[in-house]
Amino acid sequence: MSRRRRETWGFFAPTDPSVIFRLVIADFTIKLTDMLSPSPQRASGRAARTCFAEITPAVLRCQNGSRVMGNLQVVSLTGGLLKLPKPLRSGSRVKLMFLTRKGSVLGAVEMLNPLSWSLQPFKFVELYDDDEERLEAAIQASLAKNRRDHGQVERFRAW
């Protein structure tokens, strides 16, 4: 005896009607909250990301030799987000250099589709071991500082 699935298409979230979801009805019921929250496996497999407390200037060196100045907004071991005067072509490979409290980081990155006229994500495609170690140390130090700062806020919060 074979079981057939019945699929229902519908709209979700009255605040965002453009999001379409597919609900598969079989012998089990999918809770809406399970569909919305990321699975623990997926969340833990993600690289730690941070925003450094200080403004972090970054320099991009294009293949034609030109330079583009920007600021690092968010960074992880896999990529990050840059604030640029104007976005670079999506898919272009450039060298990225920025300075952290743990030292300079130089890596080859691929520029991804811009989020806005000035914000563009990137992913690391090449990062030498020593640069990766400095970046990881800087990220961990920033995360530790953020946890300490959050603890201070909680401790002195007026309830």
Side-chain angles (χ1 to χ4, degrees):
M1 177 187 270
S2 71
R3 293 188 183 180
R4 294 180 57 194
R5 282 189 185 178
R6 188 179 72 194
E7 296 181 0
T8 305
W9 291 84
F11 288 94
F12 168 69
T15 59
D16 188 10
S18 65
V19 177
I20 298 175
F21 73 96
R22 185 173 111 187
L23 180 62
V24 178
I25 302 172
D27 291 336
F28 58 92
T29 304
I30 299 173
K31 292 181 185 175
L32 196 54
T33 55
D34 292 342
M35 290 171 43
L36 295 176
S37 60
S39 66
Q41 180 183 16
R42 185 172 171 212
S44 67
R46 224 173 169 172
R49 67 187 72 183
T50 191
C51 301
F52 294 129
E54 61 278 349
I55 294 173
T56 308
V59 179
L60 298 166
R61 172 81 61 182
C62 301
Q63 289 179 346
N64 65 5
S66 65
R67 283 190 329 218
V68 178
M69 303 291 285
N71 288 323
L72 193 63
Q73 301 293 303
V74 179
V75 71
S76 74
L77 287 175
T78 57
L81 182 66
L82 288 165
K83 183 172 184 176
L84 300 170
K86 68 177 188 173
L88 299 175
R89 188 178 52 82
S90 178
S92 60
R93 297 215 172 183
V94 297
K95 298 285 185 183
L96 170 68
M97 188 177 89
F98 57 93
L99 188 62
T100 70
R101 290 186 179 263
K102 301 295 182 179
S104 64
V105 176
L106 173 67
V109 301
E110 180 180 335
M111 301 307 292
L112 304 175
N113 289 327
L115 302 177
S116 69
W117 185 249
S118 63
L119 294 175
Q120 188 168 13
F122 65 90
K123 68 177 180 179
F124 285 108
V125 291
E126 185 180 332
L127 196 58
Y128 291 112
D129 290 340
D130 54 342
D131 291 306
E132 185 174 357
E133 290 168 5
R134 280 192 292 274
L135 179 57
E136 185 170 15
I139 290 170
Q140 293 305 321
S142 176
L143 292 172
K145 182 181 181 328
N146 291 346
R147 282 191 294 272
R148 282 192 308 273
D149 291 349
H150 182 71
Q152 291 290 336
V153 169
E154 289 297 315
R155 189 172 314 128
F156 294 113
R157 177 179 289 182
W159 295 98

